[in-house]
Amino acid sequence: TWNYTGNPGAYVRIELLKNDSLYSTIAVKAGKGFNGKGTRYWSIPTDLPVGSDYKIQITSTTNSAHTDTSDAPFALTR
């Protein structure tokens, strides 16, 4: 889930970062949401490496100034 302000456009790109670098794209064009809140459900691939250095980055598809990254890394464990 995420919150937004202003007018970021209708769609966002959602990316998975590992060590602050692009690891994979979760969604090329997902709806931004409604009333300042967005949600995207995603199944974590079983082949994703275990690690504690993942982040999610969400960026407007029409204005890259509207972007945000997870405040802190999260871990994937098995």
Side-chain angles (χ1 to χ4, degrees), residues 3 8 35-36 49:
N3 297 319
N35 299 321

Side-chain angles (χ1 to χ4, degrees), residues 27-68:
V28 175
K29 189 177 180 182
K32 73 170 179 192
F34 301 96
N35 299 321
K37 296 180 185 256
T39 300
R40 173 70 180 211
Y41 294 96
W42 170 63
S43 295
I44 298 171
T46 57
D47 62 346
L48 208 58
V50 169
S52 59
D53 52 356
Y54 288 98
K55 291 182 179 180
I56 299 291
Q57 180 170 284
I58 300 173
T59 306
S60 165
T61 59
T62 56
N63 184 347
S64 62
H66 287 274
T67 189
D68 197 17

Side-chain angles (χ1 to χ4, degrees), residues 11-42:
Y11 300 99
V12 295
R13 182 177 61 250
I14 305 172
E15 298 170 316
L16 178 66
L17 307 180
K18 185 166 175 44
N19 290 321
D20 290 320
S21 295
L22 178 62
Y23 186 82
S24 68
T25 301
I26 295 170
V28 175
K29 189 177 180 182
K32 73 170 179 192
F34 301 96
N35 299 321
K37 296 180 185 256
T39 300
R40 173 70 180 211
Y41 294 96
W42 170 63

